[in-house]
Each structure stands twice: as C-alpha cells, then as structure tokens.
C-alpha cells in the first residue's frame, strides 16, 4: 500500500523512504504533467528501490511471510476472509494487479482459487518468490504494467488489487478498460486505493495531517524527482466522480464503494494512516465493480 502521497513529506515518511531516496537520488517533490511511460518507469524504479524497506515495515501486517499469505485490503486491516468482496473464489481464475510480494494471491491459492499476480517491480515480485520458496502455495507471477495487461480477452473470472498499480498509473481509465477486457462476463473487479479526499491533506498521521492544503480538484500528479529533474516516484489523483466515471466508461457496473472505518482494535500507524485521522475521515476507498 502506498504510504506516501505527501504534499510535503513528513519526517517519518522521509525516514521510512530513506533507502529508496538515497538509491534513486531523490531531491524532493514536484508537481507537473507526467504520461504513462514516464510514470511507469519512475514507479518501477521506485518500488525496486523501496522493496526492502516496504517489507521491513509492512510485511508483518500484510502476512507476507506467513506460509499461506494473507489478503489484507488496506491499512484499516480489512481481510478478504471476513469481507468476501470477491465472492466465492473456489476454482476461479483471479488476476491480481500490483500484487507486490503477492500475499493476497498466495492466500487466494490457499482458498482454492487459481490466481496470477502481476506487478511492474521485479524487486517486489522477488520478495514474493523468496516467500514462496519457504513453503505454502506457489502462484505464477508476471512482470508487466497495469495499463497493458498481457492476457487474452475474457481469461479471468475475477480481478483484484490492494493498492497495487491503480494509484500509480497516469491513465487509470485505461486500467479499467484493460480489466474489463480480460474479465469474463459476470466477472468481478475489486480494487482499493487511497480515499480521494486524502489528496487534500498533508501526508502526516498527526495533527498536521488534519489541515487541508491541496485542492481536491487538482489532478496534477504528485511527483518526486532527482537532481536532473527525472521523476523517481509518481502518484496520480482521481476524485470519487472520476473513479466512478472511469469504471462505467469501461463498460463495468459499479456495485459498491466501501469506505472502511478505523477499527477500535488497531493502534498501528501506516504512513499517513493513523487512529487520529481514521476516526474523522476515511483513508481508503474500495471499489467493487462487475462485468455484466
Ligand atoms: C503499495 S504496493 C502494494 C503491493 C501489494 N498489493 C500489497 O498490498 O502489499 C503497490 C504495488 O503496485 C505496483 N505498481 C506500481 N505501479 C504499477 C503499474 N503501473 N503496474 C503494475 N504494478 C504497479 C508496485 O510495484 C507495488 O508492488
């Protein structure tokens, strides 16, 4: 899950990303237009560079190293085993987009599905291969971008993504069309992303993250750059309305938008997600759509 999206990076976030920033020579944030190829290049390099620290921080919560994986949708801790957003998965072919180290796909395999995990970053996928080498279900992993899915039309029963790909691509409408293409009729597509309203706040889990600083309507992507101005990270904002329109324009039917409450049992912070903020407004939006 993205734990950045800082209009101004806070010190915790900067520390959490120190390794990737040093490897990539990131000098700071920028705002400006960025197309699909440049976004994909930046994010492939970013997630390769950040894979170690991401897992040091989050592998435990995500169940990356539990033998059967886990399917956690968001920092609020919603688990597919409780939520059943995907419905019955037994025997179903499932595409997971932006699978990272694939704990969700491995959990789906253990639940009787036939998942394929796709991700742009070899560093993230390699962490999944290492986890599978220690035991548990093995799932096929594919390195590719979410805007050009290397699969035949109508080849999956279900598609899912837990903060994978969708917030990072320049053309998320194209991702919706690609998913609609590879899904069979009757198939379901469920994806979680940063709740669009989070865009307007500083990426800070504390009091500073309660103050609106950026326009909700400003779709200019958040970018980080190196000393030459080459993007090293990119994240693209869509409003709730944008997301609904992109789903509908792809020929899909929107079934639900889930905005998870912050659970009472959870006192863990995840980047900009915190009990303080979660009590007041949502951090995650989960879109449930179907191809009818
Ligand atoms: C926040 S991580 C989430 C990973 C995993 N779903 C999880 O819950 O840990 C975002 C993932 O999206 C992947 N990603 C970013 N841009 C992508 C793109 N254009 N196509 C496919 N995957 C992408 C990253 O490599 C990274 O593994």
């Amino acid at each position: 899950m993205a734990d950045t999206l800082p209009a101004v990076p806070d010190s915790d976030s900067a520390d959490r990303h120190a390794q990737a920033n040093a490897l990539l020579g990131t000098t700071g944030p920028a705002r400006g237009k960025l197309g699909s190829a440049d976004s994909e290049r930046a994010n492939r390099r970013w997630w390769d560079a950040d894979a170690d620290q991401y897992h040091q921080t989050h592998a435990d919560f995500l169940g990356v190293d539990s033998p059967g994986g886990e399917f956690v949708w968001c920092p609020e801790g919603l688990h597919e085993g409780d939520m059943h957003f995907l419905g019955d998965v037994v025997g179903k072919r499932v595409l997971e987009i932006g699978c990272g180290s694939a704990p969700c796909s491995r959990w789906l395999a253990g639940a009787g599905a036939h998942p394929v995990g796709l991700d742009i970053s070899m560093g993230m996928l390699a962490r999944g291969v290492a986890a599978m080498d220690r035991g548990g279900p093995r799932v096929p992993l594919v390195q590719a971008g979410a805007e050009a899915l290397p699969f035949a039309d109508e080849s999956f029963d279900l598609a899912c993504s837990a903060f994978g790909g969708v917030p990072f691509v320049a053309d998320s409408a194209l991702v919706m069309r690609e998913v609609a293409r590879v899904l069979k009729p009757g198939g379901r597509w469920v994806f979680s992303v940063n709740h669009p309203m989070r865009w307007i706040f500083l990426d800070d889990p504390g009091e500073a993250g309660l103050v609106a600083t950026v326009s909700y309507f400003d779709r200019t992507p958040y970018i980080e750059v190196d000393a030459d101005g080459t993007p090293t990270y990119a994240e693209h904002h869509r409003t709730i309305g944008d997301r609904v329109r992109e789903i509908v324009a792809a020929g899909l039917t929107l079934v639900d938008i889930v905005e998870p409450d912050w659970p009472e049992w959870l006192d863990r912070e995840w980047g900009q997600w915190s009990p303080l903020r979660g009590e007041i407004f949502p951090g995650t939006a989960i879109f449930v759509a179907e191809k009818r």
Side-chain angles (χ1 to χ4, degrees):
M1 263 144 256
D3 48 12
T4 66
L5 208 167
V8 176
D10 61 275
S11 55
D12 279 354
S13 151
D15 191 45
R16 153 69 188 91
H17 300 301
Q19 189 178 320
N21 286 332
L23 278 169
L24 298 173
T26 301
T27 52
R31 300 289 296 280
K33 287 193 173 161
L34 201 66
S36 290
D38 289 332
S39 280
E40 192 175 282
R41 191 174 307 113
N43 283 326
R44 181 188 304 116
R45 293 177 62 222
W46 166 263
W47 287 101
D48 281 349
D50 191 50
D52 277 353
Q53 271 202 309
Y54 179 82
H55 285 92
Q56 276 166 30
T57 314
H58 301 307
D60 203 29
F61 187 78
L62 294 171
V64 170
D65 295 316
S66 77
E70 296 292 348
F71 196 141
V72 180
W73 280 105
C74 50
E76 292 86 352
L78 269 59
H79 195 290
E80 177 59 14
D82 302 317
M83 306 312 297
H84 304 291
F85 291 137
L86 292 169
D88 180 12
V89 300
V90 177
K92 302 280 173 66
R93 284 182 54 81
V94 189
L95 173 62
E96 185 189 1
I97 295 178
C99 65
S101 50
C104 304
S105 282
R106 287 183 280 128
W107 182 87
L108 285 167
H114 305 295
V116 175
L118 172 141
D119 200 282
I120 197 69
S121 159
M122 189 54 83
M124 295 293 279
L125 292 171
R127 189 63 173 70
V129 172
M132 289 192 283
D133 285 347
R134 289 192 293 275
R138 295 198 75 87
V139 301
L141 301 177
V142 176
Q143 187 185 19
E147 289 160 289
L149 299 176
F151 303 106
D153 297 358
E154 302 188 3
S155 47
F156 291 96
D157 301 297
L158 300 166
C160 60
S161 180
F163 282 81
V166 178
F168 305 107
V169 296
D171 191 350
S172 49
L174 177 55
V175 176
M176 301 301 133
R177 293 198 296 280
E178 278 290 88
V179 171
R181 180 182 65 75
V182 302
L183 270 184
K184 293 177 186 165
R188 193 163 254 232
W189 163 222
V190 186
F191 65 95
S192 58
V193 289
N194 310 52
H195 196 289
M197 72 171 293
R198 285 274 167 128
W199 183 254
I200 69 177
F201 299 107
L202 294 181
D203 191 7
D204 185 316
E207 298 281 340
L210 302 178
V211 181
T213 58
V214 176
S215 166
Y216 179 75
F217 304 104
D218 184 355
R219 276 84 159 180
T220 313
Y222 171 81
I223 305 169
E224 290 171 6
V225 294
D226 66 14
D228 298 328
T230 303
T232 58
Y233 178 85
E235 205 158 319
H236 296 263
H237 171 57
R238 295 287 181 274
T239 67
I240 280 274
D242 293 339
R243 294 250 180 254
V244 171
R245 277 186 293 279
E246 291 181 356
I247 289 167
V248 172
L252 299 165
T253 301
L254 182 64
V255 176
D256 200 359
I257 303 173
V258 180
E259 298 167 297
D261 286 2
W262 192 268
E264 275 179 28
W265 58 267
L266 187 60
D267 59 6
R268 179 189 194 274
E269 289 186 357
W270 176 307
Q272 49 123 330
W273 279 264
S274 63
L276 174 75
R277 305 179 87 199
E279 219 172 84
I280 304 171
F281 50 83
T284 296
I286 304 175
F287 292 81
V288 182
E290 279 177 0
K291 178 172 174 177
R292 296 218 164 126

